[in-house]
Amino acid sequence: AVVSTQSTGTGFVRGTDISEEVNQVLDNNPDDDEDLEDQQDLDLCDVVSVGQYLTCSVIDVVTVNKTRKVNLTTKPEIINCSVKKQDINKNMVLQGVVQSVEEYGYLVNVGVAGVTAFLTKGDVSHKKC
């Protein structure tokens, strides 16, 4: 995905730098009992959409022929690397990725050791790209 940034102009998020959950789909290496067929179809419109705000972290900057390429990641374990379990409190904003869909909501990986967040279905906008 190409990301517009304020300071560097344009950054790039490779498919493998979105989340570990997306990497499992890309690698066709599911850790659970889901059918392999279901894991093979990854539509990036289910992950990001045009105009969506993303929290990203710069993982490297490469200069080729005087052109800078900024590589970014949206992985919660990198974005939230300075957050500890005891730091989390009400109304705090964290980057996260859905691990699983449950009956009443979503289990969310926020990349903080010992923490799994829960987001109710009522708190989610179902907008597609």
Side-chain angles (χ1 to χ4, degrees):
V2 177
V3 177
S4 176
T5 65
Q6 289 181 352
S7 60
T8 60
T10 303
F12 301 88
V13 180
R14 296 180 296 244
T16 55
D17 290 318
I18 295 172
S19 71
E20 291 306 319
E21 289 76 5
V22 170
N23 288 349
Q24 287 178 5
V25 174
L26 293 173
D27 291 343
N28 293 323
N29 187 21
D31 286 339
D32 53 28
D33 294 329
E34 291 181 18
D35 292 334
L36 187 58
E37 256 179 46
D38 294 338
Q39 293 287 321
Q40 290 176 344
D41 296 324
L42 175 65
D43 184 352
L44 285 179
C45 288
D46 291 335
V47 180
V48 294
S49 59
V50 174
Q52 176 181 345
Y53 284 96
L54 294 177
T55 301
C56 300
S57 181
V58 176
I59 52 177
D60 65 13
V61 179
V62 181
T63 303
V64 179
N65 298 328
K66 297 182 182 180
T67 301
R68 286 175 37 145
K69 180 178 179 188
V70 179
N71 291 312
L72 307 168
T73 183
T74 60
K75 289 182 178 181
E77 60 272 17
I78 295 174
I79 301 292
N80 301 327
C81 69
S82 64
V83 178
K84 294 180 179 29
K85 186 176 181 177
Q86 62 269 22
D87 297 333
I88 298 174
N89 52 62
K90 186 177 179 177
N91 296 322
M92 185 174 191
V93 177
L94 294 171
Q95 177 79 4
V97 66
V98 174
Q99 284 183 315
S100 66
V101 178
E102 306 298 325
E103 185 175 354
Y104 297 105
Y106 308 90
L107 288 178
V108 180
N109 172 7
V110 293
V112 178
V115 175
T116 299
F118 185 78
L119 180 64
T120 65
K121 288 185 178 179
D123 291 331
V124 176
S125 168
H126 294 284
K127 180 182 171 189
K128 290 260 210 179
C129 60

mmCIF file of all heavy atoms in Angstrom, residues 2-54:
data_model
loop_
_atom_site.group_PDB
_atom_site.id
_atom_site.type_symbol
_atom_site.label_atom_id
_atom_site.label_comp_id
_atom_site.label_asym_id
_atom_site.label_seq_id
_atom_site.Cartn_x
_atom_site.Cartn_y
_atom_site.Cartn_z
ATOM 1 N N VAL A 2 0.467 2.257 -0.688
ATOM 2 C CA VAL A 2 1.184 3.527 -0.692
ATOM 3 C C VAL A 2 0.492 4.435 0.312
ATOM 4 O O VAL A 2 -0.728 4.570 0.311
ATOM 5 C CB VAL A 2 1.161 4.170 -2.095
ATOM 6 C CG1 VAL A 2 1.854 5.513 -2.069
ATOM 7 C CG2 VAL A 2 1.799 3.248 -3.114
ATOM 8 N N VAL A 3 1.287 5.064 1.181
ATOM 9 C CA VAL A 3 0.759 5.905 2.247
ATOM 10 C C VAL A 3 1.304 7.315 2.081
ATOM 11 O O VAL A 3 2.508 7.507 1.913
ATOM 12 C CB VAL A 3 1.175 5.349 3.632
ATOM 13 C CG1 VAL A 3 0.684 6.254 4.744
ATOM 14 C CG2 VAL A 3 0.671 3.928 3.813
ATOM 15 N N SER A 4 0.414 8.303 2.106
ATOM 16 C CA SER A 4 0.837 9.698 2.059
ATOM 17 C C SER A 4 1.187 10.137 3.476
ATOM 18 O O SER A 4 0.415 9.908 4.406
ATOM 19 C CB SER A 4 -0.302 10.561 1.520
ATOM 20 O OG SER A 4 0.061 11.917 1.558
ATOM 21 N N THR A 5 2.373 10.748 3.627
ATOM 22 C CA THR A 5 2.801 11.201 4.953
ATOM 23 C C THR A 5 3.031 12.704 4.935
ATOM 24 O O THR A 5 3.272 13.291 3.887
ATOM 25 C CB THR A 5 4.109 10.500 5.386
ATOM 26 O OG1 THR A 5 5.158 10.905 4.518
ATOM 27 C CG2 THR A 5 3.967 8.987 5.348
ATOM 28 N N GLN A 6 2.981 13.315 6.110
ATOM 29 C CA GLN A 6 3.181 14.758 6.189
ATOM 30 C C GLN A 6 4.640 15.140 5.977
ATOM 31 O O GLN A 6 4.941 16.098 5.289
ATOM 32 C CB GLN A 6 2.710 15.279 7.542
ATOM 33 C CG GLN A 6 1.221 15.255 7.697
ATOM 34 C CD GLN A 6 0.793 15.803 9.042
ATOM 35 O OE1 GLN A 6 1.603 16.073 9.903
ATOM 36 N NE2 GLN A 6 -0.507 15.962 9.219
ATOM 37 N N SER A 7 5.558 14.384 6.573
ATOM 38 C CA SER A 7 6.952 14.811 6.550
ATOM 39 C C SER A 7 7.770 14.253 5.391
ATOM 40 O O SER A 7 8.668 14.911 4.897
ATOM 41 C CB SER A 7 7.633 14.437 7.869
ATOM 42 O OG SER A 7 7.587 13.041 8.056
ATOM 43 N N THR A 8 7.478 13.042 4.935
ATOM 44 C CA THR A 8 8.314 12.434 3.901
ATOM 45 C C THR A 8 7.644 12.357 2.540
ATOM 46 O O THR A 8 8.268 11.937 1.582
ATOM 47 C CB THR A 8 8.736 11.009 4.308
ATOM 48 O OG1 THR A 8 7.556 10.214 4.492
ATOM 49 C CG2 THR A 8 9.571 11.017 5.567
ATOM 50 N N GLY A 9 6.389 12.750 2.444
ATOM 51 C CA GLY A 9 5.692 12.687 1.165
ATOM 52 C C GLY A 9 4.963 11.381 0.984
ATOM 53 O O GLY A 9 3.777 11.291 1.204
ATOM 54 N N THR A 10 5.687 10.322 0.626
ATOM 55 C CA THR A 10 5.070 9.035 0.376
ATOM 56 C C THR A 10 5.860 7.943 1.071
ATOM 57 O O THR A 10 7.083 7.925 1.044
ATOM 58 C CB THR A 10 5.024 8.740 -1.136
ATOM 59 O OG1 THR A 10 4.324 9.799 -1.785
ATOM 60 C CG2 THR A 10 4.317 7.446 -1.429
ATOM 61 N N GLY A 11 5.139 7.015 1.675
ATOM 62 C CA GLY A 11 5.745 5.844 2.286
ATOM 63 C C GLY A 11 5.077 4.603 1.733
ATOM 64 O O GLY A 11 4.015 4.680 1.117
ATOM 65 N N PHE A 12 5.692 3.470 1.945
ATOM 66 C CA PHE A 12 5.197 2.219 1.394
ATOM 67 C C PHE A 12 5.057 1.184 2.503
ATOM 68 O O PHE A 12 5.974 1.009 3.307
ATOM 69 C CB PHE A 12 6.147 1.697 0.322
ATOM 70 C CG PHE A 12 6.329 2.665 -0.810
ATOM 71 C CD1 PHE A 12 7.316 3.641 -0.759
ATOM 72 C CD2 PHE A 12 5.495 2.631 -1.913
ATOM 73 C CE1 PHE A 12 7.484 4.551 -1.789
ATOM 74 C CE2 PHE A 12 5.644 3.538 -2.948
ATOM 75 C CZ PHE A 12 6.638 4.508 -2.883
ATOM 76 N N VAL A 13 3.905 0.502 2.530
ATOM 77 C CA VAL A 13 3.688 -0.596 3.458
ATOM 78 C C VAL A 13 3.572 -1.862 2.629
ATOM 79 O O VAL A 13 2.631 -2.010 1.845
ATOM 80 C CB VAL A 13 2.412 -0.401 4.306
ATOM 81 C CG1 VAL A 13 2.219 -1.572 5.258
ATOM 82 C CG2 VAL A 13 2.448 0.914 5.059
ATOM 83 N N ARG A 14 4.561 -2.750 2.771
ATOM 84 C CA ARG A 14 4.497 -4.036 2.074
ATOM 85 C C ARG A 14 3.437 -4.907 2.728
ATOM 86 O O ARG A 14 3.145 -4.748 3.920
ATOM 87 C CB ARG A 14 5.856 -4.739 2.131
ATOM 88 C CG ARG A 14 6.953 -3.987 1.399
ATOM 89 C CD ARG A 14 8.264 -4.741 1.488
ATOM 90 N NE ARG A 14 8.706 -4.810 2.878
ATOM 91 C CZ ARG A 14 9.820 -4.256 3.345
ATOM 92 N NH1 ARG A 14 10.625 -3.609 2.540
ATOM 93 N NH2 ARG A 14 10.142 -4.355 4.608
ATOM 94 N N GLY A 15 2.874 -5.821 1.977
ATOM 95 C CA GLY A 15 1.865 -6.733 2.526
ATOM 96 C C GLY A 15 2.350 -7.456 3.764
ATOM 97 O O GLY A 15 1.584 -7.688 4.701
ATOM 98 N N THR A 16 3.633 -7.779 3.812
ATOM 99 C CA THR A 16 4.200 -8.502 4.948
ATOM 100 C C THR A 16 4.445 -7.597 6.159
ATOM 101 O O THR A 16 4.817 -8.088 7.216
ATOM 102 C CB THR A 16 5.511 -9.192 4.560
ATOM 103 O OG1 THR A 16 6.407 -8.207 4.016
ATOM 104 C CG2 THR A 16 5.273 -10.293 3.545
ATOM 105 N N ASP A 17 4.249 -6.284 5.993
ATOM 106 C CA ASP A 17 4.447 -5.344 7.095
ATOM 107 C C ASP A 17 3.133 -4.787 7.633
ATOM 108 O O ASP A 17 3.115 -3.781 8.339
ATOM 109 C CB ASP A 17 5.365 -4.189 6.662
ATOM 110 C CG ASP A 17 6.790 -4.649 6.470
ATOM 111 O OD1 ASP A 17 7.264 -5.433 7.311
ATOM 112 O OD2 ASP A 17 7.419 -4.230 5.489
ATOM 113 N N ILE A 18 2.007 -5.437 7.306
ATOM 114 C CA ILE A 18 0.705 -5.008 7.814
ATOM 115 C C ILE A 18 0.485 -5.587 9.206
ATOM 116 O O ILE A 18 0.238 -4.860 10.155
ATOM 117 C CB ILE A 18 -0.435 -5.405 6.851
ATOM 118 C CG1 ILE A 18 -0.272 -4.648 5.528
ATOM 119 C CG2 ILE A 18 -1.797 -5.135 7.476
ATOM 120 C CD1 ILE A 18 -1.213 -5.096 4.435
ATOM 121 N N SER A 19 0.559 -6.906 9.331
ATOM 122 C CA SER A 19 0.402 -7.572 10.629
ATOM 123 C C SER A 19 0.818 -9.029 10.489
ATOM 124 O O SER A 19 0.867 -9.562 9.382
ATOM 125 C CB SER A 19 -1.041 -7.502 11.124
ATOM 126 O OG SER A 19 -1.871 -8.346 10.355
ATOM 127 N N GLU A 20 1.082 -9.659 11.618
ATOM 128 C CA GLU A 20 1.417 -11.087 11.597
ATOM 129 C C GLU A 20 0.214 -11.908 11.141
ATOM 130 O O GLU A 20 0.365 -12.936 10.491
ATOM 131 C CB GLU A 20 1.911 -11.557 12.967
ATOM 132 C CG GLU A 20 3.270 -10.995 13.340
ATOM 133 C CD GLU A 20 4.357 -11.237 12.292
ATOM 134 O OE1 GLU A 20 4.427 -12.342 11.719
ATOM 135 O OE2 GLU A 20 5.134 -10.304 12.037
ATOM 136 N N GLU A 21 -1.006 -11.437 11.466
ATOM 137 C CA GLU A 21 -2.206 -12.136 11.041
ATOM 138 C C GLU A 21 -2.322 -12.141 9.517
ATOM 139 O O GLU A 21 -2.679 -13.155 8.914
ATOM 140 C CB GLU A 21 -3.448 -11.494 11.685
ATOM 141 C CG GLU A 21 -3.574 -11.744 13.172
ATOM 142 C CD GLU A 21 -2.644 -10.905 14.056
ATOM 143 O OE1 GLU A 21 -1.925 -10.024 13.565
ATOM 144 O OE2 GLU A 21 -2.645 -11.145 15.266
ATOM 145 N N VAL A 22 -2.001 -11.030 8.874
ATOM 146 C CA VAL A 22 -2.013 -10.973 7.410
ATOM 147 C C VAL A 22 -0.897 -11.854 6.848
ATOM 148 O O VAL A 22 -1.090 -12.552 5.849
ATOM 149 C CB VAL A 22 -1.888 -9.521 6.894
ATOM 150 C CG1 VAL A 22 -1.662 -9.481 5.393
ATOM 151 C CG2 VAL A 22 -3.135 -8.726 7.258
ATOM 152 N N ASN A 23 0.267 -11.880 7.501
ATOM 153 C CA ASN A 23 1.361 -12.745 7.048
ATOM 154 C C ASN A 23 0.946 -14.204 7.041
ATOM 155 O O ASN A 23 1.325 -14.959 6.144
ATOM 156 C CB ASN A 23 2.600 -12.570 7.929
ATOM 157 C CG ASN A 23 3.281 -11.246 7.690
ATOM 158 O OD1 ASN A 23 2.967 -10.530 6.744
ATOM 159 N ND2 ASN A 23 4.204 -10.903 8.561
ATOM 160 N N GLN A 24 0.169 -14.623 8.036
ATOM 161 C CA GLN A 24 -0.305 -16.006 8.073
ATOM 162 C C GLN A 24 -1.158 -16.313 6.847
ATOM 163 O O GLN A 24 -1.063 -17.393 6.274
ATOM 164 C CB GLN A 24 -1.103 -16.268 9.343
ATOM 165 C CG GLN A 24 -0.238 -16.343 10.573
ATOM 166 C CD GLN A 24 -1.049 -16.545 11.837
ATOM 167 O OE1 GLN A 24 -2.261 -16.714 11.799
ATOM 168 N NE2 GLN A 24 -0.369 -16.516 12.958
ATOM 169 N N VAL A 25 -1.992 -15.351 6.454
ATOM 170 C CA VAL A 25 -2.819 -15.548 5.256
ATOM 171 C C VAL A 25 -1.928 -15.606 4.015
ATOM 172 O O VAL A 25 -2.081 -16.476 3.162
ATOM 173 C CB VAL A 25 -3.869 -14.429 5.120
ATOM 174 C CG1 VAL A 25 -4.627 -14.560 3.805
ATOM 175 C CG2 VAL A 25 -4.830 -14.452 6.292
ATOM 176 N N LEU A 26 -0.973 -14.680 3.923
ATOM 177 C CA LEU A 26 -0.083 -14.645 2.760
ATOM 178 C C LEU A 26 0.767 -15.909 2.656
ATOM 179 O O LEU A 26 1.054 -16.395 1.576
ATOM 180 C CB LEU A 26 0.827 -13.415 2.816
ATOM 181 C CG LEU A 26 0.130 -12.067 2.668
ATOM 182 C CD1 LEU A 26 1.110 -10.924 2.912
ATOM 183 C CD2 LEU A 26 -0.531 -11.926 1.310
ATOM 184 N N ASP A 27 1.169 -16.447 3.805
ATOM 185 C CA ASP A 27 1.992 -17.662 3.827
ATOM 186 C C ASP A 27 1.171 -18.934 3.722
ATOM 187 O O ASP A 27 1.734 -20.025 3.630
ATOM 188 C CB ASP A 27 2.799 -17.738 5.132
ATOM 189 C CG ASP A 27 3.873 -16.686 5.213
ATOM 190 O OD1 ASP A 27 4.232 -16.107 4.168
ATOM 191 O OD2 ASP A 27 4.357 -16.439 6.337
ATOM 192 N N ASN A 28 -0.171 -18.788 3.751
ATOM 193 C CA ASN A 28 -1.046 -19.957 3.770
ATOM 194 C C ASN A 28 -0.650 -20.906 4.879
ATOM 195 O O ASN A 28 -0.579 -22.116 4.703
ATOM 196 C CB ASN A 28 -1.046 -20.690 2.429
ATOM 197 C CG ASN A 28 -1.667 -19.877 1.339
ATOM 198 O OD1 ASN A 28 -2.642 -19.170 1.574
ATOM 199 N ND2 ASN A 28 -1.121 -19.935 0.153
ATOM 200 N N ASN A 29 -0.376 -20.313 6.064
ATOM 201 C CA ASN A 29 0.079 -21.092 7.203
ATOM 202 C C ASN A 29 -0.800 -20.789 8.414
ATOM 203 O O ASN A 29 -0.325 -20.241 9.398
ATOM 204 C CB ASN A 29 1.545 -20.742 7.509
ATOM 205 C CG ASN A 29 2.132 -21.626 8.572
ATOM 206 O OD1 ASN A 29 1.639 -22.713 8.817
ATOM 207 N ND2 ASN A 29 3.180 -21.152 9.215
ATOM 208 N N PRO A 30 -2.085 -21.177 8.361
ATOM 209 C CA PRO A 30 -2.979 -20.861 9.468
ATOM 210 C C PRO A 30 -2.613 -21.642 10.725
ATOM 211 O O PRO A 30 -2.180 -22.783 10.646
ATOM 212 C CB PRO A 30 -4.359 -21.266 8.950
ATOM 213 C CG PRO A 30 -4.086 -22.297 7.922
ATOM 214 C CD PRO A 30 -2.744 -21.936 7.305
ATOM 215 N N ASP A 31 -2.802 -20.999 11.896
ATOM 216 C CA ASP A 31 -2.524 -21.648 13.176
ATOM 217 C C ASP A 31 -3.769 -22.311 13.755
ATOM 218 O O ASP A 31 -3.698 -22.923 14.800
ATOM 219 C CB ASP A 31 -1.990 -20.630 14.188
ATOM 220 C CG ASP A 31 -0.567 -20.234 13.875
ATOM 221 O OD1 ASP A 31 0.133 -20.979 13.169
ATOM 222 O OD2 ASP A 31 -0.164 -19.162 14.349
ATOM 223 N N ASP A 32 -4.907 -22.144 13.115
ATOM 224 C CA ASP A 32 -6.126 -22.708 13.670
ATOM 225 C C ASP A 32 -6.756 -23.681 12.688
ATOM 226 O O ASP A 32 -6.142 -24.101 11.727
ATOM 227 C CB ASP A 32 -7.104 -21.598 14.073
ATOM 228 C CG ASP A 32 -7.374 -20.620 12.939
ATOM 229 O OD1 ASP A 32 -7.281 -21.031 11.763
ATOM 230 O OD2 ASP A 32 -7.680 -19.451 13.212
ATOM 231 N N ASP A 33 -8.005 -24.041 12.913
ATOM 232 C CA ASP A 33 -8.665 -25.072 12.124
ATOM 233 C C ASP A 33 -9.389 -24.541 10.897
ATOM 234 O O ASP A 33 -10.148 -25.273 10.270
ATOM 235 C CB ASP A 33 -9.670 -25.828 13.001
ATOM 236 C CG ASP A 33 -8.966 -26.596 14.092
ATOM 237 O OD1 ASP A 33 -7.823 -27.049 13.884
ATOM 238 O OD2 ASP A 33 -9.576 -26.757 15.156
ATOM 239 N N GLU A 34 -9.184 -23.269 10.515
ATOM 240 C CA GLU A 34 -9.866 -22.721 9.347
ATOM 241 C C GLU A 34 -9.402 -23.438 8.088
ATOM 242 O O GLU A 34 -8.268 -23.896 7.991
ATOM 243 C CB GLU A 34 -9.583 -21.226 9.209
ATOM 244 C CG GLU A 34 -10.229 -20.400 10.290
ATOM 245 C CD GLU A 34 -9.951 -18.922 10.102
ATOM 246 O OE1 GLU A 34 -9.578 -18.511 9.009
ATOM 247 O OE2 GLU A 34 -10.110 -18.193 11.078
ATOM 248 N N ASP A 35 -10.310 -23.526 7.112
ATOM 249 C CA ASP A 35 -9.959 -24.161 5.843
ATOM 250 C C ASP A 35 -8.883 -23.379 5.125
ATOM 251 O O ASP A 35 -8.909 -22.158 5.094
ATOM 252 C CB ASP A 35 -11.190 -24.255 4.925
ATOM 253 C CG ASP A 35 -12.228 -25.219 5.453
ATOM 254 O OD1 ASP A 35 -11.867 -26.148 6.201
ATOM 255 O OD2 ASP A 35 -13.399 -25.027 5.103
ATOM 256 N N LEU A 36 -7.936 -24.064 4.505
ATOM 257 C CA LEU A 36 -6.862 -23.420 3.758
ATOM 258 C C LEU A 36 -7.432 -22.579 2.625
ATOM 259 O O LEU A 36 -6.927 -21.511 2.334
ATOM 260 C CB LEU A 36 -5.897 -24.485 3.209
ATOM 261 C CG LEU A 36 -4.634 -23.979 2.535
ATOM 262 C CD1 LEU A 36 -3.829 -23.127 3.499
ATOM 263 C CD2 LEU A 36 -3.795 -25.141 2.050
ATOM 264 N N GLU A 37 -8.529 -23.038 2.013
ATOM 265 C CA GLU A 37 -9.152 -22.271 0.932
ATOM 266 C C GLU A 37 -9.537 -20.880 1.398
ATOM 267 O O GLU A 37 -9.356 -19.899 0.711
ATOM 268 C CB GLU A 37 -10.420 -22.998 0.443
ATOM 269 C CG GLU A 37 -10.239 -23.701 -0.858
ATOM 270 C CD GLU A 37 -11.526 -24.403 -1.253
ATOM 271 O OE1 GLU A 37 -12.607 -23.801 -1.157
ATOM 272 O OE2 GLU A 37 -11.425 -25.560 -1.674
ATOM 273 N N ASP A 38 -10.112 -20.779 2.610
ATOM 274 C CA ASP A 38 -10.522 -19.484 3.148
ATOM 275 C C ASP A 38 -9.327 -18.592 3.402
ATOM 276 O O ASP A 38 -9.415 -17.383 3.319
ATOM 277 C CB ASP A 38 -11.291 -19.663 4.458
ATOM 278 C CG ASP A 38 -12.620 -20.371 4.241
ATOM 279 O OD1 ASP A 38 -13.128 -20.336 3.100
ATOM 280 O OD2 ASP A 38 -13.129 -20.957 5.209
ATOM 281 N N GLN A 39 -8.167 -19.167 3.729
ATOM 282 C CA GLN A 39 -6.980 -18.390 4.044
ATOM 283 C C GLN A 39 -6.324 -17.808 2.792
ATOM 284 O O GLN A 39 -5.592 -16.847 2.876
ATOM 285 C CB GLN A 39 -5.948 -19.273 4.770
ATOM 286 C CG GLN A 39 -6.378 -19.712 6.144
ATOM 287 C CD GLN A 39 -6.329 -18.578 7.116
ATOM 288 O OE1 GLN A 39 -5.430 -17.748 7.084
ATOM 289 N NE2 GLN A 39 -7.296 -18.509 7.997
ATOM 290 N N GLN A 40 -6.542 -18.405 1.626
ATOM 291 C CA GLN A 40 -5.820 -18.006 0.419
ATOM 292 C C GLN A 40 -6.323 -16.714 -0.200
ATOM 293 O O GLN A 40 -5.593 -16.055 -0.905
ATOM 294 C CB GLN A 40 -5.871 -19.134 -0.618
ATOM 295 C CG GLN A 40 -5.043 -20.325 -0.197
ATOM 296 C CD GLN A 40 -5.173 -21.480 -1.166
ATOM 297 O OE1 GLN A 40 -6.083 -21.526 -1.980
ATOM 298 N NE2 GLN A 40 -4.261 -22.414 -1.077
ATOM 299 N N ASP A 41 -7.562 -16.336 0.048
ATOM 300 C CA ASP A 41 -8.135 -15.157 -0.593
ATOM 301 C C ASP A 41 -8.001 -13.944 0.310
ATOM 302 O O ASP A 41 -8.761 -13.777 1.256
ATOM 303 C CB ASP A 41 -9.612 -15.399 -0.926
ATOM 304 C CG ASP A 41 -9.783 -16.514 -1.942
ATOM 305 O OD1 ASP A 41 -8.921 -16.616 -2.834
ATOM 306 O OD2 ASP A 41 -10.755 -17.268 -1.828
ATOM 307 N N LEU A 42 -7.026 -13.096 0.016
ATOM 308 C CA LEU A 42 -6.826 -11.869 0.780
ATOM 309 C C LEU A 42 -7.150 -10.694 -0.119
ATOM 310 O O LEU A 42 -6.485 -10.462 -1.116
ATOM 311 C CB LEU A 42 -5.389 -11.749 1.284
ATOM 312 C CG LEU A 42 -5.059 -10.440 1.990
ATOM 313 C CD1 LEU A 42 -5.864 -10.316 3.279
ATOM 314 C CD2 LEU A 42 -3.579 -10.355 2.288
ATOM 315 N N ASP A 43 -8.207 -9.969 0.230
ATOM 316 C CA ASP A 43 -8.589 -8.767 -0.489
ATOM 317 C C ASP A 43 -8.115 -7.587 0.343
ATOM 318 O O ASP A 43 -8.578 -7.383 1.470
ATOM 319 C CB ASP A 43 -10.104 -8.738 -0.666
ATOM 320 C CG ASP A 43 -10.581 -7.552 -1.486
ATOM 321 O OD1 ASP A 43 -9.759 -6.658 -1.795
ATOM 322 O OD2 ASP A 43 -11.774 -7.524 -1.813
ATOM 323 N N LEU A 44 -7.154 -6.801 -0.174
ATOM 324 C CA LEU A 44 -6.631 -5.677 0.592
ATOM 325 C C LEU A 44 -7.707 -4.672 0.962
ATOM 326 O O LEU A 44 -7.547 -3.908 1.902
ATOM 327 C CB LEU A 44 -5.485 -5.004 -0.154
ATOM 328 C CG LEU A 44 -4.172 -5.770 -0.138
ATOM 329 C CD1 LEU A 44 -3.106 -5.028 -0.921
ATOM 330 C CD2 LEU A 44 -3.696 -6.034 1.275
ATOM 331 N N CYS A 45 -8.839 -4.670 0.247
ATOM 332 C CA CYS A 45 -9.957 -3.795 0.607
ATOM 333 C C CYS A 45 -10.552 -4.190 1.958
ATOM 334 O O CYS A 45 -11.219 -3.385 2.600
ATOM 335 C CB CYS A 45 -11.044 -3.827 -0.460
ATOM 336 S SG CYS A 45 -10.564 -2.966 -1.969
ATOM 337 N N ASP A 46 -10.308 -5.432 2.407
ATOM 338 C CA ASP A 46 -10.754 -5.852 3.731
ATOM 339 C C ASP A 46 -9.783 -5.382 4.807
ATOM 340 O O ASP A 46 -10.081 -5.449 5.995
ATOM 341 C CB ASP A 46 -10.876 -7.380 3.801
ATOM 342 C CG ASP A 46 -12.015 -7.900 2.943
ATOM 343 O OD1 ASP A 46 -12.971 -7.141 2.690
ATOM 344 O OD2 ASP A 46 -11.951 -9.070 2.527
ATOM 345 N N VAL A 47 -8.611 -4.915 4.405
ATOM 346 C CA VAL A 47 -7.576 -4.498 5.353
ATOM 347 C C VAL A 47 -7.473 -2.976 5.425
ATOM 348 O O VAL A 47 -7.441 -2.404 6.511
ATOM 349 C CB VAL A 47 -6.203 -5.111 4.968
ATOM 350 C CG1 VAL A 47 -5.128 -4.693 5.942
ATOM 351 C CG2 VAL A 47 -6.297 -6.633 4.882
ATOM 352 N N VAL A 48 -7.417 -2.306 4.272
ATOM 353 C CA VAL A 48 -7.297 -0.845 4.224
ATOM 354 C C VAL A 48 -8.181 -0.298 3.108
ATOM 355 O O VAL A 48 -8.553 -1.018 2.194
ATOM 356 C CB VAL A 48 -5.832 -0.387 3.972
ATOM 357 C CG1 VAL A 48 -4.940 -0.751 5.134
ATOM 358 C CG2 VAL A 48 -5.283 -0.951 2.686
ATOM 359 N N SER A 49 -8.486 1.000 3.196
ATOM 360 C CA SER A 49 -9.263 1.639 2.137
ATOM 361 C C SER A 49 -8.680 3.017 1.850
ATOM 362 O O SER A 49 -8.004 3.613 2.694
ATOM 363 C CB SER A 49 -10.738 1.744 2.526
ATOM 364 O OG SER A 49 -10.894 2.490 3.707
ATOM 365 N N VAL A 50 -8.931 3.521 0.652
ATOM 366 C CA VAL A 50 -8.442 4.835 0.248
ATOM 367 C C VAL A 50 -9.007 5.887 1.203
ATOM 368 O O VAL A 50 -10.199 5.878 1.521
ATOM 369 C CB VAL A 50 -8.859 5.148 -1.203
ATOM 370 C CG1 VAL A 50 -8.490 6.569 -1.578
ATOM 371 C CG2 VAL A 50 -8.211 4.161 -2.158
ATOM 372 N N GLY A 51 -8.150 6.760 1.689
ATOM 373 C CA GLY A 51 -8.557 7.819 2.597
ATOM 374 C C GLY A 51 -8.523 7.442 4.063
ATOM 375 O O GLY A 51 -8.714 8.286 4.931
ATOM 376 N N GLN A 52 -8.284 6.171 4.343
ATOM 377 C CA GLN A 52 -8.230 5.709 5.729
ATOM 378 C C GLN A 52 -6.965 6.220 6.408
ATOM 379 O O GLN A 52 -5.896 6.231 5.822
ATOM 380 C CB GLN A 52 -8.242 4.178 5.747
ATOM 381 C CG GLN A 52 -8.088 3.564 7.108
ATOM 382 C CD GLN A 52 -8.078 2.038 7.042
ATOM 383 O OE1 GLN A 52 -8.456 1.454 6.045
ATOM 384 N NE2 GLN A 52 -7.632 1.419 8.112
ATOM 385 N N TYR A 53 -7.085 6.652 7.655
ATOM 386 C CA TYR A 53 -5.914 7.057 8.434
ATOM 387 C C TYR A 53 -5.265 5.805 9.009
ATOM 388 O O TYR A 53 -5.945 4.933 9.534
ATOM 389 C CB TYR A 53 -6.307 7.994 9.574
ATOM 390 C CG TYR A 53 -6.592 9.392 9.102
ATOM 391 C CD1 TYR A 53 -7.881 9.803 8.837
ATOM 392 C CD2 TYR A 53 -5.553 10.295 8.916
ATOM 393 C CE1 TYR A 53 -8.145 11.079 8.394
ATOM 394 C CE2 TYR A 53 -5.802 11.583 8.466
ATOM 395 C CZ TYR A 53 -7.106 11.967 8.215
ATOM 396 O OH TYR A 53 -7.352 13.233 7.772
ATOM 397 N N LEU A 54 -3.948 5.728 8.887
ATOM 398 C CA LEU A 54 -3.184 4.611 9.432
ATOM 399 C C LEU A 54 -2.102 5.135 10.356
ATOM 400 O O LEU A 54 -1.467 6.143 10.058
ATOM 401 C CB LEU A 54 -2.501 3.810 8.323
ATOM 402 C CG LEU A 54 -3.358 3.049 7.343
ATOM 403 C CD1 LEU A 54 -2.486 2.396 6.282
ATOM 404 C CD2 LEU A 54 -4.163 1.993 8.058
#
